[in-house]
Amino acid sequence: RDAGTPPLLRPLLAPDAPEAPTTPAFADDDEEPLWWEAPAKAFAERALLGNGRLGAIDGGGAWDEEMTLNEESVLGGRPLSADEQRQKWAKKREAMRAMERSMAAADVGGAEGHARELSGGKIESYESLGELHIATLPGGRPADATDQRRGLPTDRLVPTDSYRRELWLRRGVAVARWSSGGCNYERRAFASRADDAVVLRLNSSCAFGLRLSLGRAAAPTTARARAVAAERAVLLHGRAGKGNASGTMVKDEGVRFAVRAQLAALDAAAAAPVADGGALLVRSLTDVTVVVSAHTSFGALVGGTGGGDAAALEAAATKATKAAAARGWDELHRRHVARQAEAMGRVRLRLAGPRRPDLSTPRRLAAADGVEDVGLIEQAFDMGRYFLLGSSGAPGALPPNLQ
């Protein structure tokens, strides 16, 4: 079968999507993307996406992708209220004055005792939000629960003929493209600062099935997922912190959260979504957009304003995903790339010298051992700025904490 995209199916693909996964996804400027010839096997190979508040870690899996989701305020402990903060710092100021008096009196032991009162005490861990699981099956049939128990679909059992994934730093877009059985597939993902959502698009020249779910593998007893077929959405409610085997929180003080992933657009030939426990199943797709948003009780706990209960958090996540979904892929992509390019374009490093953009990033790093490649230096410079921009929120938000 012809590995190229049939002309009648080309409108189903993204406007700037290539027909084969062996060339860059964007070719309208001189940016050299980081790129790999296979899905990530280690964390350092994964693509990190962030808008300052929300983040995602994309491994580029072809048929089976588990994308880690992050939010800046998922903390295991209870945030202190404004009154508690004032009391805490009042005690520290008094301890500081007492330490100074002891030092002035040459009382070393007393000064050391007061200094110990200045410590911050135990700080609870920052935790990841959860995982967005995207299982794709060629042929139009969704990956149902039976497939999941059998371990299907996987890159091992459904081989790919060719594969390429990329991370475009100045656009803030991760791209994975592969072909199998004469069909071409592409998935793009980004964390939009303009629309405060993680956005994905999966399209193909052939029909495929999709299973979309949310979970929290690190602490499964601290979160509950459900699917709402009528709204084409999956939701995850939970609380940061560790749970025991019975599902009871060991320390019920962690930040509450709600995550919502919504199918924003389906092609006309797709079947109606079906709920399968906490997952959403769709068959006969060729093009689908997914938007994800999340909200936590951190602000309500710190400000004492209320609104941090499960219903309020779900309502906030629902409002955000519906607003993003209403824009559609083209507008979401345009707004995100414009915002990212403006921020990254404030500074540009260009060096004269040899470069090897034809090599994948791992091969390029290996080849650069003792051989000059100025393109790698430029990418390292851009990566530092990319990571800081991706972890820095709006003015008045938390410090860079999107881990």
Side-chain angles (χ1 to χ4, degrees):
R1 296 174 60 184
D2 182 8
T5 305
L8 291 177
L9 292 177
R10 286 174 186 164
L12 297 176
L13 297 175
D16 51 353
E19 292 188 8
T22 55
T23 55
F26 300 99
D28 57 355
D29 71 4
D30 59 350
E31 180 179 359
E32 299 173 6
L34 286 78
W35 69 278
W36 297 261
E37 299 169 282
K41 294 182 179 179
F43 178 83
E45 298 176 352
R46 294 167 73 89
L48 274 64
L49 308 169
N51 68 5
R53 192 182 76 83
L54 295 171
I57 307 174
D58 188 348
W63 308 115
D64 202 4
E65 168 62 16
E66 188 172 87
M67 184 178 290
T68 302
L69 300 175
N70 284 2
E71 199 274 350
E72 65 172 351
S73 62
V74 185
L75 300 169
R78 179 179 63 84
L80 298 180
S81 67
D83 287 340
E84 290 172 321
Q85 288 279 10
R86 284 191 287 271
Q87 294 172 14
K88 170 185 173 181
W89 289 107
K91 292 178 180 179
K92 291 186 182 298
R93 284 192 294 271
E94 179 54 38
M96 176 67 76
R97 297 189 187 99
M99 181 185 71
E100 292 171 345
R101 290 193 294 269
S102 295
M103 292 174 66
D107 180 5
V108 177
E112 290 178 344
H114 294 304
R116 283 192 288 271
E117 298 176 38
L118 298 176
S119 68
K122 179 176 174 57
I123 299 176
E124 299 293 342
S125 299
Y126 172 85
E127 302 177 11
S128 62
L129 186 62
E131 299 84 35
L132 176 68
H133 191 195
I134 308 161
T136 310
L137 199 66
R141 185 172 64 85
D144 59 22
T146 301
D147 289 325
Q148 295 300 304
R149 287 192 294 271
R150 292 174 180 169
L152 291 171
T154 68
D155 293 349
R156 179 176 61 84
L157 296 176
V158 185
T160 58
D161 302 322
S162 58
Y163 179 92
R164 176 175 172 133
R165 66 184 176 93
E166 303 159 353
L167 177 60
W168 295 79
L169 300 174
R170 296 210 302 270
R171 287 180 170 88
V173 178
V175 184
R177 288 174 295 140
W178 65 98
S179 62
S180 179
C183 302
N184 296 326
Y185 300 84
E186 178 181 87
R187 186 177 63 246
R188 298 191 181 206
F190 56 84
S192 172
R193 191 181 296 266
D195 291 288
D196 197 23
V198 174
V199 185
L200 305 89
R201 184 185 188 185
L202 176 61
N203 54 22
S204 172
S205 59
C206 303
F208 61 89
L210 180 73
R211 186 177 194 271
L212 189 72
S213 60
L214 289 166
R216 202 160 192 254
T221 62
T222 65
R224 295 290 182 271
R226 79 177 194 274
V228 184
E231 298 182 6
R232 304 193 302 192
V234 289
L235 298 105
L236 183 72
H237 283 276
R239 194 162 199 166
K242 298 185 180 296
N244 59 26
S246 66
T248 303
M249 294 294 293
V250 175
K251 188 177 183 181
D252 193 22
E253 291 188 337
V255 168
R256 293 184 183 274
F257 59 82
V259 191
R260 189 176 192 267
Q262 177 178 332
L263 301 178
L266 302 174
D267 55 87
V274 176
D276 178 32
L280 206 59
L281 308 182
V282 192
R283 61 180 177 83
S284 301
L285 285 162
T286 53
D287 194 349
V288 60
T289 299
V290 182
V291 295
V292 184
S293 188
H295 286 266
T296 79
S297 61
F298 181 85
L301 289 169
V302 172
T305 58
D309 58 277
L313 296 177
E314 180 177 329
T318 299
K319 180 179 179 181
T321 51
K322 286 185 175 181
R327 292 190 182 277
W329 167 263
D330 289 341
E331 181 68 3
L332 289 169
H333 185 265
R334 184 195 65 77
R335 285 164 55 85
H336 163 70
V337 170
R339 180 75 70 89
Q340 178 76 6
E342 186 278 327
M344 289 293 291
R346 295 169 191 165
V347 179
R348 181 75 185 276
L349 175 66
R350 292 294 288 168
L351 302 173
R355 58 185 70 235
R356 294 297 307 274
D358 56 307
L359 296 178
S360 67
T361 298
R363 294 179 187 274
R364 195 172 183 178
L365 289 169
D369 187 13
V371 179
E372 186 180 20
D373 183 346
V374 299
L376 286 176
I377 299 173
E378 294 171 358
Q379 286 182 334
F381 177 82
D382 283 344
M383 282 185 69
R385 301 191 63 245
Y386 174 84
F387 288 140
L388 187 58
L389 285 169
S391 61
S392 300
L398 294 175
N401 187 44
L402 194 55
Q403 302 180 33

